[in-house]
Amino acid sequence: MDKNIYKKRRESLKHHLPDGCALIIPGADLQYRNSDSSYALRQESSFYYLSGFCEASSLMVILNSGENISSIVFVPPKDKLKEIWDGYRAGPVGAVEDYFFDQAFENSKIDDLMPELLQGIKRIYYPIGKKAGFDQKVIDWTCSANSKDRHSQSIDIVDGSSMIGNLRLIKDEHEIEIMKRACDISAESFVEVMKAIKPGDNEQLIEAKFLYEFGKRGGRFPAYTPIVAGGENACVLHYIENNKDLNKSDLILVDAGCEYKMYASDITRTFPVGGKFSDEQLAIYKIVLRANKAAIDAVKVGNNIMEPQLISEKIITEGLVELGLLKGEADILHEQGAFKDFYMHKIGHWLGLDVHDVGDYMEDGDFMKFKPGMVTTIEPGIYISSSMDVDDKWKGIGIRIEDDILVTESGNVNLTAKVPSDPAEIEKLMA
Ligand code: GLY
Ligand code: MN
Ligand code: MN
């Protein structure tokens, strides 16, 4: 892996980080599931984006002096015993030699060295409110740096989330290649599981099959806890209990995506446990699919993020009126937001190192316009829980269809098209 990519990303900050300012990015700490049993470390995404470095409790400072941009990293010290138990550590020497930082120090020296590094800086940017205890640390370092020279300007603290988020929003070629592979792995896994599912299977078995299919292809971890929801469980939007048996006559909604080389994929398909859609299931499915397709078509340069949103709302409103689930004029119902009883979430979100990726949704007081290199999900849905005041035949149907869409110069690419969403194709696959 060419570590120069990360160095170049740090250097590109000279166009975004004003002269005389510092950007501080903390890395992830090890997390524990219980007692002293830890999860595998997942590096903090922005820290990874700018370093490729995956050791816990590290911290990066990028300084723009006006003449040049320099990057300093604090990393765990070399430690023979810890390395026997937990594995190799680069240490400060390795961080400079292998990750091309200008300077590196042991992380035990952060509190001592940070005030010196920050002395004379105009402004500190860092992601405010994102890491427990970190805001106070920055305040302490800033106060300490200010007190070193009472006659110099005081240092302002500014949220750096948008600066780094909007850099990450536009994916480079290297990232796009990885995301394509992440999406392929997830799509292939869907196809395998759809072919194998049987009535009576437990949701947990289906989750296990996804994790196996992901892992077999190099995606060791899911990008988020999979949602495996049989029947009405699909109406709980973040259902992750995943422990009920599947009924032949129900649909199953699976929202699952692997993480591959740190990048997320995010797919939802809804399919019949018994391999055949009922008339009611198919009627609702077709509305959601129409919304999915039309919204994807609207993901293109020149449009902003509200266009697929509005298109999906209108198609779902019209469809629900046609089926008698909403009564009245579609235009008026749309204006009133009547669809929100059935379609209560937004059309999608940015996708990248995080499943709900960073990056603003507004720019210059308006909705963000699509630009080449952005990746967004498109995921309309209709959810009819049994507590709703509708004919019984519709109750318990929850459907979402989610794809991952890359914006290109000339339109878009559906990165998850390899898993069918057409109902006839799904039935054929499952036959
Ligand atoms: N898988 C989470 C989402 O679709 O937003
Ligand atoms: Mn999503
Ligand atoms: Mn999803």
Side-chain angles (χ1 to χ4, degrees):
M1 173 57 200
D2 182 4
K3 302 280 190 313
N4 266 312
I5 289 172
Y6 306 107
K7 182 174 160 64
K8 283 190 190 132
R9 287 183 190 154
R10 293 196 294 272
E11 285 170 352
S12 78
L13 278 163
K14 65 174 171 284
H15 305 297
H16 305 276
L17 184 62
D19 292 356
C21 295
L23 174 67
I24 303 177
I25 308 275
D29 297 329
L30 207 55
Q31 303 293 324
Y32 292 84
R33 188 166 195 280
N34 60 68
S35 174
D36 60 351
S37 179
S38 70
Y39 288 105
L41 179 83
R42 172 43 163 87
Q43 186 53 284
E44 196 281 325
S45 296
S46 292
F47 190 95
Y48 181 81
Y49 181 78
L50 292 169
S51 70
F53 186 75
C54 288
E55 289 184 34
S57 305
S58 302
L59 179 142
M60 178 186 331
V61 185
I62 297 174
L63 295 168
N64 187 356
S65 71
E67 269 141 40
N68 72 327
I69 194 131
S70 57
S71 52
I72 299 119
V73 71
F74 292 88
V75 299
K78 293 293 284 179
D79 182 324
K80 262 194 180 152
L81 189 63
K82 288 238 160 56
E83 292 186 56
I84 286 171
W85 281 90
D86 299 326
Y88 174 77
R89 291 176 170 194
V93 173
V96 171
E97 285 180 358
D98 300 334
Y99 294 84
F100 310 131
F101 279 91
D102 297 302
Q103 282 182 288
F105 302 99
E106 295 183 357
N107 56 7
S108 57
K109 305 219 171 92
I110 293 178
D111 287 334
D112 288 342
L113 296 183
M114 194 65 103
E116 280 174 40
L117 283 175
L118 298 178
Q119 204 186 337
I121 287 290
K122 278 194 286 200
R123 216 171 301 136
I124 295 171
Y125 292 82
Y126 84 98
I128 291 180
K130 300 279 163 49
K131 181 173 180 178
F134 194 71
D135 300 288
Q136 189 57 49
K137 285 260 173 210
V138 176
I139 291 168
D140 291 347
W141 297 328
T142 307
C143 290
S144 198
N146 276 331
S147 70
K148 280 183 178 291
D149 180 357
R150 291 185 198 292
H151 297 114
S152 72
Q153 62 189 343
S154 64
I155 304 170
D156 289 336
I157 298 177
V158 177
D159 190 4
S161 302
S162 284
M163 183 195 299
I164 186 75
N166 290 336
L167 266 186
R168 282 174 49 190
L169 186 50
I170 309 291
K171 274 70 184 175
D172 59 32
E173 281 307 313
H174 170 79
E175 295 181 286
I176 289 169
E177 281 316 302
I178 297 174
M179 290 190 75
K180 281 183 174 166
R181 182 65 195 139
C183 289
D184 278 352
I185 291 173
S186 295
E188 288 165 18
S189 302
F190 263 90
V191 169
E192 290 308 314
V193 176
M194 284 160 101
K195 284 198 291 200
I197 197 165
K198 293 189 309 299
D201 283 352
N202 193 278
E203 293 166 347
Q204 197 182 325
L205 175 70
I206 305 307
E207 178 178 12
K209 287 187 178 190
F210 270 96
L211 299 183
Y212 170 74
E213 297 293 344
F214 291 168
K216 191 164 102 172
R217 293 167 173 80
R220 179 178 172 199
F221 297 108
Y224 52 92
T225 304
I227 295 168
V228 182
E232 186 167 354
N233 296 334
C235 299
V236 178
L237 296 179
H238 283 166
Y239 175 82
I240 51 170
E241 282 177 32
N242 301 351
N243 60 4
K244 309 290 184 311
D245 289 340
L246 299 170
N247 297 318
K248 185 175 181 187
S249 57
D250 279 343
L251 296 174
I252 176 171
L253 179 156
V254 180
D255 183 342
C258 74
E259 180 175 292
Y260 177 71
K261 295 191 176 175
M262 298 289 282
Y263 282 79
S265 52
D266 184 7
I267 302 182
T268 308
R269 289 292 184 268
T270 312
F271 44 102
V273 173
K276 282 257 168 234
F277 288 91
S278 72
D279 291 347
E280 286 77 19
Q281 290 165 350
L282 192 60
I284 303 289
Y285 190 93
K286 283 182 172 169
I287 302 170
V288 180
L289 185 60
R290 268 206 305 281
N292 166 279
K293 299 271 185 223
I296 289 173
D297 285 346
V299 177
K300 58 184 178 194
V301 173
N303 282 357
N304 70 38
I305 55 164
M306 266 321 265
E307 323 234 3
Q309 176 71 43
L310 287 173
I311 285 171
S312 68
E313 291 172 4
K314 285 179 183 166
I315 290 176
I316 285 175
T317 305
E318 282 161 16
L320 292 172
V321 170
E322 276 166 29
L323 297 183
L325 281 156
L326 282 178
K327 295 192 186 358
E329 278 284 318
D331 285 352
I332 296 168
L333 288 165
H334 176 248
E335 267 170 40
Q336 293 169 339
F339 62 88
K340 287 183 187 163
D341 288 341
F342 298 87
Y343 172 34
M344 56 295 275
H345 57 74
K346 290 279 188 264
I347 187 70
H349 51 83
W350 305 128
L351 186 71
L353 283 163
D354 293 315
V355 63
H356 294 163
D357 208 26
V358 290
D360 293 338
Y361 289 86
M362 302 288 291
E363 60 181 346
D364 307 326
D366 204 349
F367 295 107
M368 179 71 77
K369 285 200 157 149
F370 291 114
K371 299 170 188 68
M374 291 177 170
V375 181
T376 185
T377 66
I378 288 292
E379 49 181 305
I382 295 179
Y383 311 90
I384 312 175
S385 72
S386 54
S387 62
M388 291 183 79
D389 184 17
V390 296
D391 193 318
D392 282 352
K393 68 181 181 177
W394 303 112
K395 289 183 176 175
I397 298 178
I399 294 172
R400 178 166 65 254
I401 306 171
E402 176 175 26
D403 287 298
D404 301 342
I405 311 300
L406 167 68
V407 184
T408 63
E409 299 283 349
S410 57
N412 70 52
V413 180
N414 182 347
L415 302 178
T416 49
K418 285 186 185 165
V419 50
S421 56
D422 177 82
E425 274 182 57
I426 290 176
E427 288 186 350
K428 195 168 150 208
L429 183 70
M430 297 181 72

